[in-house]
Amino acid sequence: MPAERLLPTTEAEDLLKLTREIARDELAPLAAEYEEQERFPREQFKLLGRSGLLGLPYAEKWGGAALSYEVYLQVLEEIAAAWMSVGVGLSVHTMSCFALSEHGTDEQRDRFLPDMLGGDLLGAYALSETHAGSDAAALSTRATRDGDQYVVNGTKAWITHAGHADFYTTMVRTADTGGKGISCLLVDADTPGLSAAAPERKMGLTGSTTAQMIFDNARVDADRLLGDEGQGLKIALVALNSGRLGIAACAVGLAQAALDEAVAYAKQRTQFGSAIIEFQGIEFLLADMAAAVESARAMYLEAARRRDRGLPFVRQASIAKLVATDAAMKVTTDAVQVLGGAGYTRDFPVERYMREAKVPQIFEGTNQIQRMVIARQLRNG
């Protein structure tokens, strides 16, 4: 029961058709096996790159597709519905390209962006630290200028694609002036002195590697500075506004997958001589799940359309992220309930969906932070 979509062009419809084919044939059949083995899907990201799906919202000049966020997010939702780890990875990669696309010089964009958008390179976003998560301005990883290089020391935490990415969009401290002392560096994975710690042992998204990245006198050329010194925190926070829409779309895809599985099971499972979907207790549960999925989808599309039109969308992005991720947690939990004992086993995917639904409420800004952002926007608006 695929999601019904209202797309703006026939080209967008063709793109969604291609995406569904890739999701159905190349992603969904591998998801359970890779997640159980905690295996990183590097070849699948290369496939997305060859298919033109890694740079959708960016300019054609550098290998992107110049698509609207309204369309890009619906592509992302389809991928996440098939395999959440890959959907989240695509969202993270897209966010990792933002600083270079928006704040790099033409020379920097010409040099790096085509490979980043074409699928040859996979990105990671290195902002958080163990003591600086929600309080990003407290980060302490330091970059000290030494001639035509920066010497970087410190540890980044909770980095998606750590140890597998080809580049890290990294926020570092270049001055002791709080949030105004943070800068952004584009760091190659093979930089001497840069290494990944052991992967975190996670509840879900086990195919998506998360680990600390350790900078030990890592030398980064000064021409890898994106924007000016001191602009890093602003760059990071603006990128997160769009990144939250990506996570919202992924959460909706996960919830849609759980709803589809629950409906299919309820149609074929019989008790007392009837399919359980005919029982009011089940049909009301499924109806509430469908309402949550479609409401969340409407929220992220509203925020995306505002972004596409150049309108303020910070509040709407936080609302979309909050609503969609909370909805995914509830819908996946209810899907397990619909399947009963079967839903608690690994014979069905809903138990994995439920585990995967938790972390979207935490990353890209916890849902408590989203409530703070929304309230601040109301207070100052």
Side-chain angles (χ1 to χ4, degrees):
M1 188 178 67
E4 296 181 2
R5 305 200 180 278
L6 298 176
L7 296 165
T9 65
T10 55
E11 290 79 5
E13 292 172 357
D14 290 340
L15 177 63
L16 260 294
K17 181 179 178 181
L18 170 65
T19 302
R20 280 179 170 167
E21 290 173 355
I22 292 173
R24 181 192 66 226
D25 299 338
E26 305 292 341
L27 300 182
L30 299 175
E33 176 187 351
Y34 273 55
E35 293 296 318
E36 184 172 357
Q37 296 175 357
E38 301 187 12
R39 181 176 172 186
F40 187 74
R42 188 66 177 91
E43 290 303 315
Q44 285 63 45
F45 285 114
K46 290 180 179 178
L47 172 63
L48 295 184
R50 293 193 299 269
S51 303
L53 300 182
L54 282 188
L56 292 178
Y58 293 113
E60 292 177 317
K61 178 179 180 180
W62 291 290
L67 280 184
S68 66
Y69 252 64
E70 176 185 3
V71 174
Y72 155 65
L73 292 177
Q74 294 186 79
V75 169
L76 187 55
E77 183 193 329
E78 292 286 344
I79 292 171
W83 192 348
M84 185 64 166
S85 285
V86 177
V88 169
L90 174 54
S91 180
V92 168
H93 174 82
T94 301
M95 186 170 66
S96 300
C97 296
F98 178 86
L100 176 58
S101 176
E102 296 298 315
H103 298 277
T105 64
D106 284 343
E107 188 277 331
Q108 288 173 320
R109 287 190 284 250
D110 289 341
R111 181 180 172 189
F112 303 118
L113 207 49
D115 287 341
M116 291 162 63
L117 301 182
D120 292 332
L121 302 180
L122 182 66
Y125 191 76
L127 172 62
S128 294
E129 300 178 4
T130 54
H131 64 283
S134 297
D135 184 11
L139 69 84
S140 62
T141 296
R142 182 169 293 274
T144 303
R145 187 67 179 260
D146 182 20
D148 60 357
Q149 292 184 318
Y150 288 97
V151 180
V152 185
N153 285 282
T155 301
K156 290 295 181 179
W158 311 113
I159 307 305
T160 301
H161 301 161
H164 295 280
D166 300 294
F167 68 92
Y168 296 83
T169 299
T170 308
M171 306 305 158
V172 296
R173 180 161 299 286
T174 50
D176 293 320
T177 51
K180 295 180 180 179
I182 295 170
S183 303
C184 180
L185 296 176
L186 183 65
V187 182
D188 282 343
D190 60 2
T191 299
L194 176 63
S195 62
E200 304 289 352
R201 300 173 62 211
K202 299 183 298 182
M203 175 191 297
L205 294 184
T206 49
S208 175
T209 303
T210 304
Q212 294 182 344
M213 291 301 299
I214 302 166
F215 292 81
D216 183 10
N217 289 321
R219 287 189 167 269
V220 180
D221 290 342
D223 65 3
R224 295 304 190 94
L225 177 70
L226 301 179
D228 297 326
E229 284 196 2
Q231 283 190 305
L233 186 60
K234 181 179 180 181
I235 292 171
L237 296 180
V238 172
L240 281 169
N241 291 332
S242 297
R244 285 165 182 158
L245 294 182
I247 295 306
C250 288
V252 173
L254 183 65
Q256 181 73 58
L259 171 63
D260 292 347
E261 189 72 23
V263 169
Y265 183 87
K267 286 180 177 179
Q268 61 86 26
R269 170 69 167 166
T270 60
Q271 291 285 276
F272 309 107
S274 299
I276 64 171
I277 199 169
E278 298 178 14
F279 299 156
Q280 190 175 78
I282 298 296
E283 67 181 3
F284 279 15
L285 194 60
L286 293 171
D288 286 344
M289 293 162 67
V293 172
E294 297 202 21
S295 297
R297 180 177 295 119
M299 286 306 310
Y300 86 65
L301 287 173
E302 166 65 13
R305 289 165 183 148
R306 291 181 64 87
R307 185 191 189 280
D308 290 337
R309 288 158 177 77
L311 298 173
F313 72 99
V314 173
R315 183 175 81 243
Q316 289 79 10
S318 286
I319 291 172
K321 196 269 186 184
L322 170 65
V323 169
T325 57
D326 281 355
M329 191 72 255
K330 185 177 189 308
V331 169
T332 55
T333 302
D334 287 346
V336 171
Q337 192 70 22
V338 170
L339 271 67
Y344 200 64
T345 72
R346 295 191 178 184
D347 295 333
F348 293 86
V350 292
E351 70 84 28
R352 171 165 60 86
Y353 296 161
M354 181 177 171
R355 288 186 285 108
E356 291 174 340
K358 184 58 201 174
V359 75
Q361 294 180 303
I362 298 171
F363 57 26
E364 305 276 346
T366 67
N367 282 5
Q368 287 69 36
I369 289 293
Q370 303 315 313
R371 288 175 169 88
M372 290 173 59
V373 172
I374 295 163
R376 186 181 302 118
Q377 289 280 313
L378 293 172
R379 184 168 63 246
N380 298 334

